[in-house]
Structure formats: structure tokens, C-alpha cells
Amino acid sequence: MQNPTFSAPAALSLLAAALTSFGLLSPAIAQPSAAASAAAPSPSPSLTVQAIQPEASRWPQTLSATGGIAAWQEVVIGAELAGARILRLHAQVGDRVKKGQLLAELSPGTLQADLAALRAGLAEAEAQAREARANAERVRPLQGGEALSAQAIDQALAAEASAQARLASLKAQVQAGETRLGFTRIVASDDGLVTAREAVEGAIAQPGQELFRLQRQGRLEWRAEVPGAELEKLRAGQKVRVTPSGAAPVEGRVRVVAPKVDAATRNGLVYVDLPAAPNLRAGLFARGDFVLGEAPVLTLPQTAVLLRDGFAYVFRLDGQRVRQQKVGLGRRQGDRVEIREGLAAEARVVASGVGFLADNDIVRVANGQGAKPAAK
């Protein structure tokens, strides 16, 4: 047979009756008067709150992406002479240089002596060419006459042609020698920023060996990885707000949208030109928002939103009571947050102090008037 169960009030009533029957409890105490019951205080408001409504406004519509910051173009500057020793270096990493500025000097070795010999040979060839030209000018009018044999005339004209050819050859050799000597001066190929220096004084430079790396014109770009399906929304010239890691946000502009999508990641690259800023460096990771236009949104102050257990809630006013309402959040801008779902535009909610409220609490509205029931 099962034991009977009693509710708490029923059990207390039975206990009071038993004590009264034994004379251990006064009937007046056991049975409180109706007047005393009526005098019990009603629940009072737990908090005074301010009521607000969601604000309708227009916020920029954006597309978020991530990517790395890189140099717009990098130039590798190396030696063009074989076996030349590095004499002096004139640039360090971080230096901003101008086009044609001297970066390093190589040992000329025997190049200067070779060039001097070529120039001497050129001077001799010029003298011989002048003499041959003069002889040719004297015999040229005698062609077809009997004053000078045809053989002598031909020899004079051939000597002129040979002297001119030798002169041209030596001029070319001198020019090549001057060019080789010029290779002993390593200069910047463009304005820019020196980002690397592999050259060491006293080392032997080899053709093609990297001595300096130059970031052309000091320009940087953000290479954003954007899902392929979103690329059609982007155009050259669009504004982009880029926030590098550990640096202040900067405003860039789309330069070009890549014409292909990576087969592995299904992302496409978007190249964004960045302005010069002291905290921007190649290699930094950055997040950014492409500005696509504007769209209407409902917003609330962040103080009106309660974050609990991974969800967002507001407290909607329904008369003098508050109802905890789950909402979906969007972007944040300043001290306001976008409400994407879960709340009507005409609803009235608690503006602040939501961390002290619970569902169905009674509150007092700051203006002294009860809030109208929210639309359901």
C-alpha cells in the first residue's frame, strides 16, 4: 500500500490541528485572521528603469575579409660584375632612397686601366681615320683620269673605309668599358624603401646575387581573400576600411579584383592600395570591410543588451513588467549595436541596468508612466 503524500500547506495545517488538540497551540495563532492576510504587502518594483525604442537609421553595408599586407612591388638589386669585391655600402635597411642614389661601391680592379688603354687606342684610331679621309679626298677627284693609277686610288679609298671601321670598333669597346666600370656603382633603380640588405663589405659579389631589396615607391597593398561568390560586388575604386594587427585603421581603395578564384580555397584576391602610415608594414595580417553602400537598420545602445550563455537578450516592457526577449545582433558602431531579429521597431525596452533584471520582474519607469504593452 502506498503512503499518502501531502503538500506543504496541508502538512502544516495537520500539524497545527494536532498541536491545538493537545492544548499546545492557541487556536488564534493556528488560524490567522482574514484581516492579517489582507494586510500582506503587494510586490514592489525591483528597479527604476528608462524606456527606449529601437532607432531606425542607415548604416554602411559592408563585406568583411582578411588578408596580408605586402609591398606593391619589390625590386631585387644585385651585382652585374663577376668577382668584384664590395668596397663600401651606403644604405641600410629602412632607408628611403631616390632613383639613382648610390647604394654600394665595388672594386674596379683592372677596369679603369683597361678603359684607359681603350681610350688611347681610340685616339690613335681617330688620327688614322682623319689621315685616311684626307688621302681619300685627294684621290677621289682623280678617278677616271691618268694622273693616278686605279690601283692607287682603290687603295686610298679602302684605307679610309678600314680606318673608319676600326674607329667605330674602338668606340664600341670604349663604351662597353665605361659600362662595365659603371657596374661598380650599385644604385637604386627607383624611389623606394630598402627592406633587406644582403651585401657585406669585403665580400665578393657574383652576377645575379641579391645585394639589396627595394620596396618600390614605399607603396603597400592589402591582399584580401574574398569568397568567390562575393567578388562580383566589388569594383575598382571602392573604399575599404583596413585594420592591421596592432595598428590603427586606415582607409584604402580597391585597385584590382583578381580575375580567377583559387581552386583549393574558393577565394579570390582583391588588391587594395593603402596610404602611407607609420605603423603599416609588409607582412602584417589585417582585417577589412569593403563599403558596398547603405542599408536601413534597427539599433539599440549596447547598454540595453544582455549577453548571457552565448545569447543576446533585451528586456521588453509590458505594462509594469519586463519580458526577457532573445534577439539577434549584427554589427557594432560606436556605442550602438544592430538588432537583426527578435524585436519589433515599435517595442519599448529597458535602456540600461539589464544585468540586474530577471524575466517577469516588476519595474518603475523613470518618467512615471507605465510602458504600453509591446506589439506581439
Side-chain angles (χ1 to χ4, degrees):
M1 180 178 179
Q2 295 182 349
N3 295 326
T5 59
F6 300 95
S7 64
L12 291 174
S13 298
L14 290 175
L15 178 60
L19 292 176
T20 302
S21 65
F22 288 102
L24 299 177
L25 186 66
S26 170
I29 296 177
Q31 299 292 333
S33 64
S37 299
S42 59
S44 60
S46 61
L47 194 68
T48 299
V49 301
Q50 181 181 2
I52 59 170
Q53 287 184 297
E55 179 183 303
S57 58
R58 296 185 67 83
W59 277 13
Q61 187 179 5
T62 60
L63 172 63
S64 298
T66 60
I69 295 176
W72 167 59
Q73 288 182 356
E74 274 195 325
V75 179
V76 174
I77 299 175
E80 298 185 61
L81 284 178
R85 188 178 302 276
I86 300 174
L87 287 183
R88 282 176 292 274
L89 298 174
H90 299 276
Q92 302 289 338
V93 173
D95 288 352
R96 291 192 175 272
V97 297
K98 297 293 185 180
K99 183 177 181 179
Q101 181 175 330
L102 182 62
L103 304 180
E105 293 180 74
L106 304 182
S107 172
T110 60
L111 291 178
Q112 290 177 331
D114 293 342
L115 180 59
L118 288 172
R119 284 173 175 168
L122 177 61
E124 181 183 0
E126 288 175 342
Q128 292 175 352
R130 285 194 298 270
E131 181 182 1
R133 186 183 309 111
N135 292 333
E137 291 298 329
R138 284 194 293 268
V139 302
R140 192 170 284 114
L142 302 177
Q143 286 180 319
E146 297 180 356
L148 195 64
S149 66
Q151 182 180 1
I153 295 175
D154 291 343
Q155 288 176 347
L157 295 178
E160 179 193 22
S162 176
Q164 292 296 330
R166 184 170 181 271
L167 178 62
S169 174
L170 284 172
K171 283 183 177 179
Q173 292 180 45
V174 169
Q175 186 177 5
E178 290 173 343
T179 301
R180 285 194 298 272
L181 187 61
F183 288 157
T184 62
R185 293 171 53 85
I186 308 298
V187 299
S189 57
D190 199 354
D191 296 352
L193 176 69
V194 178
T195 58
R197 191 189 81 170
E198 302 296 333
V200 178
E201 287 187 359
I204 302 298
Q206 298 298 330
Q209 175 188 352
E210 177 180 335
L211 300 181
F212 297 91
R213 188 175 292 265
L214 187 68
Q215 179 181 300
R216 287 193 63 195
Q217 300 177 15
R219 285 175 56 182
L220 293 173
E221 65 183 13
W222 179 49
R223 297 174 182 176
E225 296 186 15
V226 178
E230 306 289 346
L231 290 176
E232 63 179 10
K233 300 178 182 178
L234 305 179
R235 298 289 185 275
Q238 281 180 323
K239 293 182 181 180
V240 188
R241 184 177 176 83
V242 182
T243 306
S245 300
V250 295
E251 184 178 286
R253 288 191 179 273
V254 175
R255 187 177 79 253
V256 64
V257 179
K260 68 175 184 177
V261 174
D262 187 271
T265 63
R266 305 301 178 189
N267 292 333
L269 285 178
V270 180
Y271 299 88
V272 177
D273 285 331
L274 298 178
N279 293 329
L280 288 183
R281 290 178 173 83
L284 285 177
F285 176 81
R287 301 180 182 276
D289 296 309
F290 296 88
V291 180
L292 305 179
E294 291 187 342
V297 294
L298 287 179
T299 68
L300 284 174
Q302 295 191 37
T303 56
V305 179
L306 174 66
L307 300 178
R308 178 182 292 166
D309 300 329
F311 297 99
Y313 302 92
V314 298
F315 284 89
R316 180 170 52 86
L317 287 163
D318 187 1
Q320 293 293 332
R321 292 187 181 272
V322 293
R323 310 293 184 187
Q324 182 174 292
Q325 181 112 10
K326 185 177 178 182
V327 294
L329 302 184
R331 296 163 292 165
R332 285 175 169 79
Q333 187 168 304
D335 62 346
R336 301 192 70 84
V337 60
E338 177 187 3
I339 306 298
R340 288 188 173 176
E341 58 183 2
L343 192 66
E346 65 274 11
R348 302 185 74 192
V349 300
V350 176
S352 61
V354 293
F356 300 99
L357 294 175
D359 190 31
N360 210 36
D361 276 356
I362 297 177
V363 297
R364 181 185 295 112
V365 180
N367 57 14
Q369 300 177 357
K372 297 180 182 180
K376 298 183 179 178

